[in-house]
Amino acid sequence: MQELVEKNEAALRHLMDQYGDELLRTAYLLLKDRQAAEEAVQDTFIEVYTQISKLRDRDKLRSWMFRIMINRCRMRQRTWSWKNLFPSSEVESWLEDEQQHGPEFQIFLEWRNGRLSDAIHQLAYIYREVITLYYYSEMSIQEIAEQLNISENTIKARLVRGRNQLRSLWEKEERQDEQGT
């Protein structure tokens, strides 16, 4: 971290390599747009680079970066029209260099991930936010509460409501599939 304070660009590149994919995946799930997610993450790293001297506890670096990224996503969410955001099933395809599987397996994964991504994108932002941070970024309820500056009980309630909405969306889609609609 001292290298970052001294404005060492190699240290910044190392930080980007270490946390970039995780931040990008989370930002994408929150914003539903790859370009917007990339911009939010880029803004996050710029702020980290310029404000690193304000971070007192080195153990909180990851948490601090997530807080910055979440705030960037919130700012973008407030200023953009929903018409500019669209669901996509690409969430993992451009983030991971997966092992090659058979074509049937790849088709199944794309279908399943696309349906889940579409369902998550249909949730209200407050539910999408906690679902994404909890399941995709693997943050604890306490960490999410700290990041979002709200109580743990509120996080728990949003998780329950978000999961219930996801279940309803999933069941509705299954019924439509069974009816051939």
Side-chain angles (χ1 to χ4, degrees), residues 2-161:
Q2 184 60 33
E3 294 169 335
L4 276 175
V5 172
E6 295 169 359
K7 304 300 182 204
N8 181 326
E9 288 185 28
L12 177 62
R13 277 192 296 276
H14 175 72
L15 191 68
M16 291 169 73
D17 289 342
Q18 186 175 2
Y19 295 104
D21 286 348
E22 184 178 15
L23 289 169
L24 184 58
R25 182 180 303 111
T26 303
Y28 177 78
L29 288 167
L30 292 173
L31 295 172
K32 301 188 280 188
D33 180 272
R34 182 177 178 177
Q35 183 178 358
E38 288 172 348
E39 289 173 10
V41 172
Q42 184 178 30
D43 291 348
T44 299
F45 282 118
I46 290 170
E47 186 163 341
V48 166
Y49 189 70
T50 59
Q51 302 294 323
I52 191 70
S53 61
K54 294 181 180 179
L55 181 65
R56 299 290 176 232
D57 187 354
R58 294 176 186 210
D59 295 334
K60 302 282 185 183
L61 177 63
R62 179 180 181 269
S63 175
W64 183 58
M65 287 191 311
F66 265 91
R67 183 175 300 123
I68 293 169
M69 185 269 307
I70 289 167
N71 287 334
R72 294 291 182 209
C73 290
R74 283 179 170 174
M75 284 178 8
R76 288 184 184 281
Q77 194 72 9
R78 279 186 228 123
T79 59
W80 285 6
S81 165
W82 280 96
K83 295 175 188 172
N84 294 331
L85 303 176
F86 56 91
S88 173
S89 61
E90 298 178 346
V91 70
E92 296 296 327
S93 65
W94 46 266
L95 288 176
E96 295 181 5
D97 296 324
E98 292 187 42
Q99 299 178 41
Q100 292 298 323
H101 295 283
E104 297 87 4
F105 183 75
Q106 286 300 112
I107 289 170
F108 171 75
L109 281 180
E110 288 178 24
W111 174 78
R112 188 200 67 200
N113 290 340
R115 287 183 68 186
L116 181 57
S117 179
D118 289 345
I120 289 171
H121 288 156
Q122 291 179 41
L123 298 175
Y125 185 82
I126 60 172
Y127 303 124
R128 189 169 66 239
E129 186 174 57
V130 295
I131 293 279
T132 300
L133 294 174
Y134 188 76
Y135 289 105
Y136 289 93
S137 297
E138 299 178 352
M139 289 185 171
S140 69
I141 290 173
Q142 181 182 1
E143 289 173 318
I144 297 169
E146 289 173 9
Q147 293 295 323
L148 303 181
N149 199 27
I150 53 181
S151 75
E152 289 183 29
N153 286 336
T154 301
I155 299 299
K156 290 175 187 176
R158 288 181 182 179
L159 279 170
V160 168
R161 290 181 186 127

